[in-house]
Amino acid sequence: MGSSTERRRSPNQQAKQEQIIEAAKEVLARDGLAACTARAVADASPLTKSAIHYYFDDMDEIIDGAMERHMAGCLDRIREAADRHERPVDRFWAATRTYLEIFAEQPKAALLWFSYWVDVGQKARPEPIDRMHQMMIAVLRDLLADIPVDDPPARAHAFFSYLLGTLMQQAVRPLPFSELKPEIATVCRLDPGLS
């Protein structure tokens, strides 16, 4: 039998899975990855620990679903910020500022993502986080291609790597966006006249 997400579920069963994933999302945001256990998820949902085990094969499956929800919310907010602007360069800067603001508003979020990254790496199952990273890189690539810059896929990948490092730096010693902006322009090879 395949994973529980591959099994055919009734609408009621799908609703219960949604409740579990939403509860896990809440636990992850509030308490972090190490605290996201079946018991903690059950306590945050109307379901029991046994129901959680019934609807999902393991906690990794639940955590992956919850982290994907976190990523989807982040991407929605970034797209909304970009969509408020007409000029491609303004769209890029709005999206970038919003990405950094999301993590500044939720100081535990960067640590959660890095904990998740380490966890999937240690378990030799990088597919979920790679899929999420590729979603973010695609958004950045599209924003950079609209400006345009040389080789948007390579610039987007380099920029995403820069952002990951910057998130950790911001958690330790936050810098204002005005100080990060010249570095970002360099990483993305933006024409200085466009900033």
Side-chain angles (χ1 to χ4, degrees):
M1 184 184 289
S3 77
S4 61
T5 54
E6 293 171 354
R7 291 184 215 137
R8 181 81 69 198
R9 297 281 188 192
S10 72
N12 183 48
Q13 291 170 321
Q14 289 174 0
K16 298 241 188 282
Q17 284 182 315
E18 292 297 316
Q19 286 178 318
I20 293 166
I21 290 173
E22 283 301 315
K25 183 180 166 201
E26 176 187 319
V27 171
L28 286 165
R30 184 186 63 226
D31 303 324
L33 183 64
C36 192
T37 63
R39 169 60 45 218
V41 172
D43 290 347
S45 78
L47 302 169
T48 65
K49 185 177 169 187
S50 2
I52 289 167
H53 290 298
Y54 173 78
Y55 289 109
F56 289 95
D57 292 335
D58 60 36
M59 282 304 297
D60 288 338
E61 199 176 351
I62 296 167
I63 290 168
D64 291 345
M67 293 301 288
E68 284 183 29
R69 296 278 171 83
H70 279 295
M71 175 59 86
C74 181
L75 290 173
D76 287 347
R77 191 166 158 197
I78 289 166
R79 286 184 187 109
E80 288 168 9
D83 288 346
R84 288 193 288 270
H85 299 275
E86 195 69 33
R87 286 182 357 141
V89 71
D90 295 337
R91 291 171 52 77
F92 170 78
W93 287 119
T96 300
R97 181 184 295 272
T98 299
Y99 180 88
L100 293 169
E101 285 172 354
I102 289 167
F103 288 94
E105 293 164 3
Q106 302 167 37
K108 293 180 182 180
L111 297 175
L112 171 60
W113 279 102
F114 282 98
S115 297
Y116 180 60
W117 196 358
V118 168
D119 185 65
V120 297
Q122 288 176 332
K123 294 176 180 174
R125 42 176 234 92
E127 298 82 15
I129 202 158
D130 184 55
R131 184 174 53 252
M132 290 180 242
H133 284 179
Q134 293 308 317
M135 291 166 49
M136 185 66 209
I137 290 169
V139 169
L140 297 173
R141 180 197 64 225
D142 293 347
L143 288 165
L144 288 167
D146 288 345
I147 289 176
V149 299
D150 289 335
D151 197 358
R155 292 296 100 223
H157 190 273
F159 182 42
F160 185 63
S161 295
Y162 167 88
L163 285 173
L164 292 175
T166 299
L167 291 180
M168 288 310 290
Q169 175 230 298
Q170 292 293 87
V172 175
R173 188 175 57 88
L175 295 173
F177 189 70
S178 60
E179 288 186 38
L180 298 174
K181 200 171 177 181
E183 290 179 3
I184 293 167
T186 300
V187 169
C188 295
R189 295 186 182 159
L190 295 177
D191 180 344
L194 292 176
S195 299

